[in-house]
Amino acid sequence: MNSYVLGFHEIDNTKLAVVGGKGANLGELSRIEGIRVPEGFCVTTEAYKSMVGPNREFNALLDQLLVLKVDDRKGIGTISGKIRRVIEGIPIAGEIEEAILCYLAKLGEEHAYAVRSSATAEDLPTASFAGQQDTYLNIRGKEAILRHISKCWGSLFTDRAVTYRMQNGFDHRKVYLSVVIQRMVFPQVSGIMFTADPVISNRKVLSIDASFGLGEALVSGLVNPDIYKVRGGRIVDKTIPAKKLAVYALEEGGTEEREIEPARRNMQALTNEQVLRLEGMGRRIEAYFGRPQDIEWCLSRGHSYVGDIPPQEVCPRSSEDTIFVVQSRPITTLYPIPDVNDGRNRVYMSMGHQQMMTDPIKPLGMSFFQLLSENYPLRKAGGRLFIDLTHDLASPIGRRIMLSAMMGKNDPLMQNALKGLMQRKDFMKSLPSGKKIFSLRTEGMSGAMFIQAIKIYRQNDVKIVHNLISRNEASIKDLRQRIAGLSGDELFTFIIEDHHKQLKEILYNSQSFGTIMAGVYAAGWINKKMEKWLGEKSAADTLSQSVANNVTSEMGLALLDVADVVRQYPAVIEYFHQAGDETFFEELGKLEGGGVVSKSIRAYLDKYGMRCSGEIDITRPRWNEQPTALIPMILSNIKNFEPNARSVKFEQGRQEAEQKERELLSRLEQLPGGKQKAQKTKKMISVLRNFIGYREYPKYTFIQRYWVYKQALLKEAAGLVQKGVIREKEDIYYLFFEELREAVRTNRLDYSIINERKDEYEVYEKLTPPRVMTSEGEVVSGAYTTGNIPDGALAGIPVSSGVIEGRARVVLKMADADLEEGDILVTSFTDPSWTPVFVSVKGLVTEVGGLMTHGAVIAREYGLPAVVSVENATKLIKDRQWIRVNGTEGYVEMLVED
C-alpha cells in the first residue's frame, strides 16, 4: 500500500503522525475484541503535505497568520478564510486520488460514508481539540467524497481551530491533517459515553448520553439527551427529558432534522439492558487505553449497516441490535488522582488552597514542602500536593478537631465541601481507620499553645513580638554563617537537619502560635461583641489598620518610599520600561540618579528580596533574582501617589483606627453596664493592635530560610553545569531533593528525566486543582453559607468590611498588574508578594481564601473591602467592568461595563 492511504487494520498508535489522533484511535479500537468499529481507511498526512506544501499562496498566508496574536479575532478570521479557500481550490493530485478511489472501491463506492478530519494535534491525552475541525456525514459518490476530503483539509484552518492552537501553544506549521473515510451507520439511537463522570470526575461512575437518530442532534445541542449514570453494573441514576428533534440521513446524501412523534418524546432512548451493554464496552475500551475515555457510539437494529430507517420504533429491543463504536478519545478535563492504589476509599485536601498558591509546584519545591510537613501524609497529583485526610475523617474526634482548628479560617469552601462529604454516611463508613494527622499533640496545636495564648493575652506586652522577631533575625544570621562553605553531601545533610531542628522550632514555637492566637481571639471577640451590643459588623477590620510589626503590609508601604526616590530621575523611569534582570543594576548605575536608585532598591531587596509570587515553591524566582518584577509596582506608585505617600497612608489608617476606637467606646458607655463593656473592649483593642500584625511573620521567617537554602543549592547547580551534568542551573528544579543529592554525589544524571518533567509541568499549568477530591477522582465542591445576596451577584466570603464601587482589573500574574488608583483587584489568589499591589487598589476579589489568609489580613490592614472564595471570579468578571464589592455581606455585583 502507498503512503497516502492506510486501512484501519494497518493503523495503531505509532501512526499518530501519519493518521492523526482520531485515525490512530480508530485503528486501536479495531483491535479490541468484542468492539465493533465501522470499517474504513485514512487519507494520511503525507497526502495533505504533498498538496499544500509546495503551494506558494498557502505558505505566504501561513506566514501572515504566524505573526498574529490570539486576541486579533478579525485578522485570524480573514487570513484563515483565505487559507481555507486556497486549500479547497487545489486539485487533488492524480496519484493521491487514485489511491483513495482504489480503497473506496474495495469497501464499495455505492455506500454512504462519514468523512472526518483527524489532526496530529487532536484527541491527545493532554489536549482534545474536539470539534475544532470538520466532519461530514452521509457522503455518497466518489466525487462528493473527494470534494469533502478537500473541505476537511481546509477545516484545519477554521477560526476556532487556529485560535485553539494558539491558546495551547501548537505551531500551525507542525500540525497536519489526515482524513478518515468511514462507512456510515444509520442508527436508531446514538450518543456519547464517558467512562468517568464528566460532572464530578468520579472514575467509578460511567455516564451515557443518548438520543434518537444520528449523534449530530446531541453534539449540536438540538436536543437534551437521556443521561444514564452507571456504577458497577447498576444504573444509579436516569434523566429522561423530552426529545423533540432528531437528525436522520437522507437517501440522496446529507442529513435533515425531523420532529419526533409525541408518543416517543418522553421514552427512554435505550433499554436498561442496552445501557449495561454499553457500560461493559466502555470499561473494556478504558482498560485497553489505560485511562478514562470519551466514546462516541451508535446502535443499529438487525444489520451491521442499514439504510435510512423511518423512526417508527419506540425503542430498539431486538437481540440482534448492534452497537458500533465510531470514536474514542482520552478525557482531558479530569484532574489526576494521587497514585495510592490500595483499593480503599480516601479523601484528599488541596495543600495549595491552604497556602494560597494553586499553581503547580516543581519537584524540588515539592521536596522542600514535604520536609516541612513530614507529619502530614502528602500525596502528589497534577503537580500539586494534597493532604490525605482519610483517617481523620474516619474518626469522629478527628473530624471535630480538623474542622474547628484547621480549616474554616483558611478556606471556608473547603470546610463546606468536607462537611457535605461527611453527610454521605455510606461513603464515611467505607473510609479506613488509621493514624490521624490532627490531634491536640499535632505540631502547633499542643496544650502549650493555649497556655501561651492565655499568658500573652494577660500580659498584653508588645515586647513579646519584638523578642520573637529578634530571635528569628539572630537565627537567620547564624544560618548564613553555618551554611557558608558547605557543599556536596554535607550541604544536603545540613539542610535536612536545619529543617528538623531550627525551622520547625521557629514555625511551631508555642509562644509564636500563642501570640497569633491572642490577636485572632481579640479580633473575633470584638466582632462578635460589637455586633451584639452595637449592631456593628466587622468592627475589628477598621481597628486593625496600621498596626505595628506587620512585615507584609510594611513591605507594600516601603515600596512607596522606593518610588519617591525613582520619581526624581526621568532617565531611570525611561530605563525601567526596557530593563532586564541580568544587567539591571549594572545598566542602572550608568544613568543620572542610578546610583541613588540602586541603593534604595538594594536596601528594599535586602529585607524583602527573598519574596515572590508563589513563594512556598522554593524554585520560584525571587525578587533578588528578578528585580524587574518590582518595576510595574514602582511605576504604578509613581503614577497613583504623591510623594511621602507611605507616611500619609499609614497615618491615615492609624487615625481611622483611633477614631473607630473612640466611637465604639463612647457608644458602649451609653449602654447598661457600659463602663465595664467599654473597659473590656479597650483591653481587647489593645491586644488586637499589639499582636494581630505578627500573624504575617512566621511565613516571612521560613521564606527567609528558603532563600538561604536556595542560594547554596544554586552553587551546587553551577558545578553540575560546569561538569556537563545539566545544561542550566534551573534544571535542578525538576529533580526531587534526593535525586539532586545523588546527582551531586555521582556527577551523573539521565537528562531525559528533566525533559519529561518540563513537559509534564506545562500540562500541569493548564489544570485547575480541586479543593477536595476522593480516591475515585470525584471532585467535592462546597456550598456557600452566605446570607441573602442580590440577584445576579457573585457570592463569596466577606473578609474585610466596607462597600466600594470601581473598575475591575482582572490580573492573573502580578507582573501584568497595570493598576490605577480606584481599581478593584480581581485575581485567583494572593500571597504576601502581592502586597505592594494593594496600595494602589480600593478593593479585592479572589477565587481562593478565607478570613485569616494573607490577602484578607492585608486588606483589613489597608482598609480595603474584600470578598474571597468567589468561584470563577476571574472568568465571570470582565476586565475593566464596573463592579461593586460588598466586603461586609460577602458578594460582588456587576454593574456596567467600562
Side-chain angles (χ1 to χ4, degrees), residues 200-201 335 346-351 353-354 386-387 389 393 407 411-419 421 424 427 769-775 777-782:
I200 61 173
S201 299
Y335 195 85
R346 294 188 174 274
V347 180
Y348 304 109
M349 175 184 77
S350 166
M351 176 69 80
H353 285 81
Q354 289 284 302
F386 292 81
I387 302 175
L389 297 178
L393 288 171
M407 312 287 281
D411 194 308
L413 288 184
M414 186 177 289
Q415 185 185 45
N416 293 344
L418 289 166
K419 285 180 178 178
L421 198 61
R424 291 159 53 177
F427 180 85
R771 284 175 163 85
V772 177
M773 66 176 169
T774 71
S775 52
E778 179 183 353
V779 174
V780 185
S781 300

Side-chain angles (χ1 to χ4, degrees), residues 142-350:
K142 56 187 180 182
E143 289 80 10
I145 289 172
L146 290 171
R147 185 170 67 255
H148 282 87
I149 289 173
S150 292
K151 290 173 74 68
C152 279
W153 283 337
S155 76
L156 189 60
F157 291 92
T158 61
D159 296 5
R160 62 183 182 274
V162 168
T163 301
Y164 193 90
R165 287 198 294 273
M166 287 179 169
Q167 291 170 335
N168 286 274
F170 285 84
D171 187 338
H172 301 306
R173 289 192 182 279
K174 296 180 181 178
V175 177
Y176 307 108
L177 198 86
S178 169
V179 180
V180 176
I181 314 295
Q182 189 174 24
R183 281 280 302 274
M184 276 290 294
V185 176
F186 300 99
Q188 287 145 310
V189 185
S190 55
I192 299 170
M193 171 166 51
F194 299 93
T195 63
D197 190 309
V199 178
I200 61 173
S201 299
N202 193 319
R203 270 68 161 182
K204 299 290 186 181
V205 177
L206 182 143
S207 181
I208 298 171
D209 290 11
S211 63
F212 295 119
L214 293 168
E216 292 308 291
L218 189 155
V219 173
S220 62
L222 279 176
V223 297
N224 292 322
D226 291 358
I227 301 176
Y228 307 91
K229 305 283 186 179
V230 192
R231 179 176 180 134
R234 185 170 65 91
I235 300 172
V236 295
D237 189 52
K238 295 180 189 178
T239 303
I240 313 296
K243 297 171 284 293
K244 296 182 179 180
L245 294 172
V247 174
Y248 290 96
L250 295 171
E251 188 172 348
E252 65 273 17
T255 62
E256 72 170 1
E257 297 175 18
R258 295 181 193 165
E259 286 194 4
I260 297 173
E261 298 90 334
R264 301 177 64 227
R265 290 177 181 176
N266 294 294
M267 301 297 292
Q268 284 188 205
L270 294 171
T271 66
N272 290 350
E273 184 272 335
Q274 290 163 347
V275 169
L276 296 181
R277 279 175 60 196
L278 274 167
E279 184 207 18
M281 294 173 66
R283 293 302 180 204
R284 203 174 308 144
I285 293 169
E286 179 184 59
Y288 181 86
F289 285 108
R291 61 184 301 147
Q293 296 288 300
D294 167 1
I295 300 165
E296 295 177 28
W297 57 270
C298 54
L299 184 147
S300 176
R301 184 179 179 185
H303 299 86
S304 295
Y305 303 95
V306 292
D308 184 19
I309 302 174
Q312 300 299 321
E313 293 284 344
V314 170
C315 190
R317 298 182 184 275
S318 168
S319 60
E320 298 179 0
D321 291 340
T322 302
I323 298 176
F324 289 91
V325 174
V326 295
Q327 189 50 252
S328 184
R329 61 179 67 86
I331 303 176
T332 60
T333 56
L334 298 175
Y335 195 85
I337 306 172
D339 188 15
V340 182
N341 299 315
D342 62 356
R344 309 295 297 272
N345 277 338
R346 294 188 174 274
V347 180
Y348 304 109
M349 175 184 77
S350 166

Side-chain angles (χ1 to χ4, degrees), residues 2 4-5 43-44 46-51 91-102 146 149 153:
N2 60 58
Y4 296 132
V5 174
V43 181
T44 68
E46 293 302 312
Y48 169 80
K49 291 176 191 177
S50 69
M51 292 292 297
I92 296 179
E95 57 183 338
I96 297 175
E97 180 177 325
E98 182 181 350
I100 294 169
L101 295 182
C102 178
L146 290 171
I149 289 173
W153 283 337

Side-chain angles (χ1 to χ4, degrees), residues 30 68 137 176 262 424 438 470 479 509 543 576 604 625 685:
S30 301
L68 296 181
L137 300 179
Y176 307 108
R424 291 159 53 177
F438 301 112
S470 295
L479 170 64
N509 179 277
L543 296 168
F576 273 10
Y604 184 86
E625 299 169 286
I685 292 172

